[in-house]
Amino acid sequence: MRILEEVQATLQIAKVKEEDLQPVTYCLSFGDNVSSGDYCLMELDDTLCKLIEAGKSLIIRGDKDEHAVLCTEDKTYDLKIADTSNLLLFVPGCKTPDQLPDISASPQLMHAQIWGFSNCYWELRRQRPRLKKLKKLLMENPYDGPAVGMQEEAPGLKYTMDDLLERIQASREEIEAHLQNVHACEIEGFWRILDFDYEMKLLGHVTQLVDSESWSFSKVPFSVCLEELGSLEPKAMIEHCLNCYGRRYSNEDGQVIYALDEDKVCRATAQLLLQNAVKFNLSEFQEVWQQSVPEGMSARLDQLRGLALLDRSSKPETISLLRIEDLPEDTLERFNSLFSLREKWTQDDIEPYIQDLCGEKQTTGALLTKHARSSVQNGVKVYNSRRPVAT
C-alpha cells in the first residue's frame, strides 16, 4: 500500500505541480475476487435519482422475446448498453471533493477499495410505451354481455391489472390511460374489452332513450338511464357506456348528469358502417352516416381522423376504414405500412397516423422530414417514402 512520499515522488516524475491538485489523494486497490460481471451500472438523470432516493421502484419489463424497457409509475424508458473506452470503477468508499469535510491545505493520503469495474453501462432514453400488445391480449376474449339463462360465458383468457403489468411494456399510469382509450372495463377483477357490436348495442339503448324522452344530449340524467335500461343490460355496463361516450358532471341539485360527446358517438357510428365494406362511395357514405347518427347530431369528416382514409383522387371519391391501432408501433414499420397503402400522402392525410409516433418536443413535420421525401403535385405538397417500400 502506497505512502504519501511515494505519491509525491510520482507527481514529480510526471512533472505535475502538487499545488494544482486537491490536497487529498486517493490510493485505490482491488479487493479480492473482483470481476467485471459483479455489477451492472445504470446512468440515471436527476428525476430518476430522486425517485430512487424517495424509495420508489424502477421496474424492468419485457417477455423473453422482447427488448427490455424500464418503467417508473408514469413513464417508460428504453434500455440500451453503452460502451465506454474508459474503465468505470465502482468505489463505494471514495468521495468527491464536494463530499469531503473541510480539510487543511496539507497533503493527505486516503485509501479506498475497488469493488467492481465495467467498460459499459445501461443508458436510459425516454420512449413511447408499447401498448399495441394490450389490446391484442384483451381481444383474445372480448366481453359481449352477461350469460343468458343457463348459458355459460365462452371460455378464454382473462387478465388482471397485475397480469397486464407483467406482460405490457409500459408504466401503470400509461396502461391505465390506454385501457380507458380502448374502452376496457374491469369485470369481476379482470380487465375486459367490449365486443364492438355489444358496445354499439349499449350506445344504441342510450341514444334511443334520449330520443324517446326528448332529452338534450348535454343533459342525460344518470339515475333515470339506470332505471329505464337496467332491465335490458347490467347497470355497470350502462354506466361504462356513458363514461366512454359522455362527460359526467353534477347539476345545481346534485343530480349526476352526462353530456354525450357528439364526436365520439358519430365516430363510433362511422366505424360500424365502414367495418362491413372494403370501400364506400364517399357521398353515399356521408348520406347514410348522417341518417344513422342520432337526430340532432352532425356527422363531419374531421371526426374520422385516424379512423378512415379518404381517396380524393378516385372517381367517384371513396372512403375506407383505416384504424391507427391496426398499424405497426415501430416508426419505420409504420411508415413502410402507410407508403405500401398509398404511394403519396398529403400532410393532412398522413398526420393522424403518425402523431402518436412523436417523441417529446418532436413534431409530425420533423418525422416526415426524416422518413419521407416531399414534392409538389398539382400545386399540393405530398410525401413519399425515402426508402424502397417492402411489400
Side-chain angles (χ1 to χ4, degrees):
M1 198 171 283
R2 287 190 175 188
I3 60 175
L4 184 59
E5 287 74 14
E6 290 175 328
V7 172
Q8 292 170 334
T10 303
L11 292 176
Q12 287 181 352
I13 295 171
K15 296 183 180 180
V16 176
K17 294 181 180 179
E18 201 169 330
E19 55 267 22
D20 293 339
L21 304 177
Q22 294 287 340
V24 175
T25 301
Y26 265 101
C27 184
L28 304 181
S29 60
F30 284 93
D32 297 332
N33 303 318
V34 173
S35 74
S36 61
D38 289 344
Y39 297 94
C40 290
L41 302 178
M42 184 179 292
E43 186 180 57
L44 303 179
D45 60 21
D46 288 342
T47 302
L48 293 174
C49 279
K50 287 175 182 176
L51 286 177
I52 293 289
E53 290 167 355
K56 304 291 185 181
S57 296
L58 303 181
I59 303 169
I60 295 175
R61 293 196 170 114
D63 280 343
K64 291 180 180 179
D65 59 342
E66 295 173 329
H67 182 80
V69 300
L70 183 137
C71 299
T72 64
E73 276 293 311
D74 61 348
K75 293 181 177 65
T76 303
Y77 295 84
D78 186 34
L79 270 173
K80 283 189 177 177
I81 292 180
D83 293 320
T84 174
S85 57
N86 296 320
L87 190 65
L88 302 172
L89 303 178
F90 185 36
V91 190
C94 192
K95 293 183 180 180
T96 57
D98 58 304
Q99 295 174 321
L100 291 169
D102 293 335
I103 51 179
S104 62
S106 59
Q108 297 182 44
L109 183 64
M110 302 181 74
H111 295 274
Q113 195 170 69
I114 299 169
W115 284 22
F117 63 91
S118 178
N119 59 358
C120 62
Y121 60 94
W122 287 103
E123 188 178 56
L124 302 181
R125 290 184 183 175
R126 180 76 191 280
Q127 73 158 36
R128 291 176 290 110
R130 298 171 185 174
L131 294 163
K132 189 179 180 71
K133 185 177 177 181
L134 175 58
K135 187 172 182 180
K136 181 182 177 182
L137 291 177
L138 296 182
M139 286 301 294
E140 293 173 355
N141 186 18
Y143 181 76
D144 57 3
V148 180
M150 299 297 291
Q151 179 185 356
E152 292 186 2
E153 185 182 349
L157 290 173
K158 300 177 188 176
Y159 299 93
T160 64
M161 176 56 78
D162 287 341
D163 294 332
L164 295 176
L165 288 170
E166 284 290 323
R167 303 289 302 277
I168 307 302
Q169 292 186 291
S171 68
R172 175 182 281 271
E173 286 190 18
E174 289 166 333
I175 290 174
E176 289 173 346
H178 196 62
L179 286 169
Q180 187 174 351
N181 290 340
V182 299
H183 295 177
C185 62
E186 193 173 15
I187 302 173
E188 297 178 349
F190 297 97
W191 281 93
R192 310 287 299 278
I193 197 167
L194 271 59
D195 177 82
F196 185 66
D197 289 338
Y198 179 63
E199 186 174 318
M200 293 306 295
K201 179 183 174 183
L202 293 170
L203 182 59
H205 287 322
V206 172
T207 55
Q208 287 167 22
L209 180 62
V210 171
D211 181 61
S212 66
E213 297 289 340
S214 300
W215 291 333
S216 164
F217 288 118
S218 62
K219 296 178 181 178
V220 180
F222 176 51
S223 59
V224 181
C225 275
L226 294 186
E227 185 179 339
E228 293 292 327
L229 301 176
S231 60
L232 300 175
E233 298 291 345
K235 292 182 178 180
M237 290 297 100
I238 301 298
E239 182 176 4
H240 176 68
C241 179
L242 288 169
N243 285 329
C244 290
Y245 292 96
R247 177 180 59 85
R248 183 181 181 126
Y249 68 97
S250 298
N251 63 10
E252 298 84 356
D253 301 326
Q255 185 182 17
V256 177
I257 304 293
Y258 277 88
L260 291 183
D261 188 309
E262 180 179 83
D263 290 350
K264 290 181 178 179
V265 174
C266 291
R267 183 182 175 90
T269 306
Q271 181 176 337
L272 187 66
L273 296 171
L274 290 169
Q275 69 181 8
N276 296 317
V278 177
K279 279 189 179 180
F280 243 114
N281 177 300
L282 180 58
S283 60
E284 291 178 1
F285 168 77
Q286 287 180 282
E287 184 179 347
V288 173
W289 183 26
Q290 184 59 59
Q291 292 171 353
S292 302
V293 300
E295 188 176 350
M297 288 190 172
S298 298
R300 308 183 315 276
L301 290 177
D302 64 276
Q303 295 165 337
L304 306 184
R305 287 173 63 85
L307 175 70
L309 186 60
L310 276 63
D311 189 349
R312 299 284 192 182
S313 63
S314 66
K315 302 296 180 186
E317 296 177 343
T318 61
I319 185 171
S320 56
L321 185 70
L322 180 61
R323 300 182 303 177
I324 189 169
E325 59 260 37
D326 294 333
L327 296 171
E329 274 186 314
D330 178 77
T331 301
L332 290 177
E333 291 179 11
R334 174 80 61 88
F335 274 98
N336 187 75
S337 179
L338 290 170
F339 286 123
S340 66
L341 289 170
R342 177 183 288 184
E343 184 182 359
K344 295 184 179 180
W345 293 73
T346 65
Q347 184 161 348
D348 284 344
D349 284 345
I350 200 171
E351 200 166 49
Y353 295 105
I354 62 173
Q355 186 74 53
D356 64 311
L357 299 176
C358 293
E360 289 182 302
K361 300 179 182 179
Q362 190 179 31
T363 63
T364 53
L367 266 180
L368 286 169
T369 300
K370 182 177 180 180
H371 297 282
R373 183 181 288 111
S374 65
S375 59
V376 177
Q377 183 174 292
N378 300 324
V380 179
K381 191 174 186 179
V382 294
Y383 294 88
N384 64 290
S385 179
R386 282 187 176 274
R387 306 169 184 81
V389 177
T391 55

